[in-house]
Amino acid sequence: MLRFAARAVAVATAVAIAASSAPADDSTLKVKVGDKFPVVALEAAQIEKLGLKDAKTVSIADLKGKTVVIFFYPKALTKGCTVESCGFRDALASADFPKDVVILGASADDVPLQQKFIEKEKLTYPLLADKEMKLTKELGIVSPKNDKVTQRVTFVVDKEGKIAKIYDTVNPATHPKEVVEFLKRQK
């Protein structure tokens, strides 16, 4: 009986060690509505649009006092990402768009590719370059199919830096309008 108990303890210990050393699942959402948005500073293309004097990087904490929509997309210059990004560009230009809201796009692409995307599609807001996937991993939105790509997820962050809304199921064609409707209801 003593041998059985010792074996059970050894098995339980091995299972606990294996579980504690298992890699974190970076493809499962790690935040919820009401949480503070992670403070991770990233390089950005078109960062000067934010009015941050001499900034080289930006984080949500830099934008405290403003509502921020940050939408993550898998890859710049691809069909769905272009449709969604242009939808936000057009929404931002609309008279219906709330004036105190900042739009940010984000992906694992580098700054030169983000800049090329901005120029080609005439995007009017900054694109964050999370090429080391720091923010993506903290949020838990790494693609389960490719660990170098973000999932298509949007966060609305309130003026205090807390997550007000998470969209984890996104149709690129209709999503920007959906977000604008949410923003208008928050007034």
Side-chain angles (χ1 to χ4, degrees):
M1 191 63 146
L2 189 57
R3 186 180 285 185
F4 176 75
R7 182 172 281 167
V9 168
V11 168
T13 302
V15 168
I17 289 170
S20 68
S21 65
D25 182 0
D26 292 328
S27 66
T28 301
L29 197 60
K30 295 179 180 177
V31 294
K32 64 187 180 313
V33 170
D35 287 352
K36 281 283 206 189
F37 194 86
V39 177
V40 177
L42 298 172
E43 289 184 293
Q46 209 160 258
I47 197 170
E48 67 279 357
K49 293 267 184 183
L50 296 173
L52 302 172
K53 189 169 174 78
D54 301 323
K56 302 278 188 241
T57 62
V58 66
S59 75
I60 293 298
D62 297 328
L63 303 170
K64 192 169 183 175
K66 298 179 182 189
T67 299
V68 179
V69 174
I70 179 168
F71 70 99
F72 289 81
Y73 54 91
K75 185 77 177 149
L77 297 168
T78 58
K79 185 179 179 183
C81 299
T82 298
V83 167
E84 183 178 20
S85 297
C86 290
F88 277 111
R89 175 201 64 204
D90 297 345
L92 191 56
S94 162
D96 288 347
F97 195 82
K99 299 298 179 216
D100 59 342
V101 176
V102 173
I103 298 283
L104 299 171
S107 72
D109 299 312
D110 62 18
V111 171
L113 185 57
Q114 300 287 39
Q115 188 61 47
K116 185 176 178 182
F117 192 25
I118 286 170
E119 290 167 6
K120 183 174 188 292
E121 301 303 333
K122 298 177 178 36
L123 302 179
T124 56
Y125 49 84
L127 297 180
L128 305 180
D130 192 11
K131 45 183 210 183
E132 293 175 13
M133 307 282 286
K134 288 179 183 176
L135 182 55
T136 301
K137 287 178 181 176
E138 247 189 83
L139 292 166
I141 59 170
V142 174
S143 171
K145 297 177 186 174
N146 181 341
D147 66 358
K148 305 250 187 290
V149 173
T150 63
Q151 294 179 39
R152 190 179 304 279
V153 179
T154 299
F155 299 88
V156 177
V157 182
D158 70 16
K159 293 176 181 184
E160 299 301 315
K162 292 183 181 175
I163 299 170
K165 179 79 173 164
I166 301 171
Y167 295 90
D168 57 359
T169 303
V170 172
N171 176 332
T174 59
H175 181 57
K177 289 180 184 168
E178 175 183 34
V179 172
V180 169
E181 289 305 313
F182 174 79
L183 294 168
K184 290 191 319 190
R185 287 193 307 270
Q186 299 308 298
K187 292 295 169 184

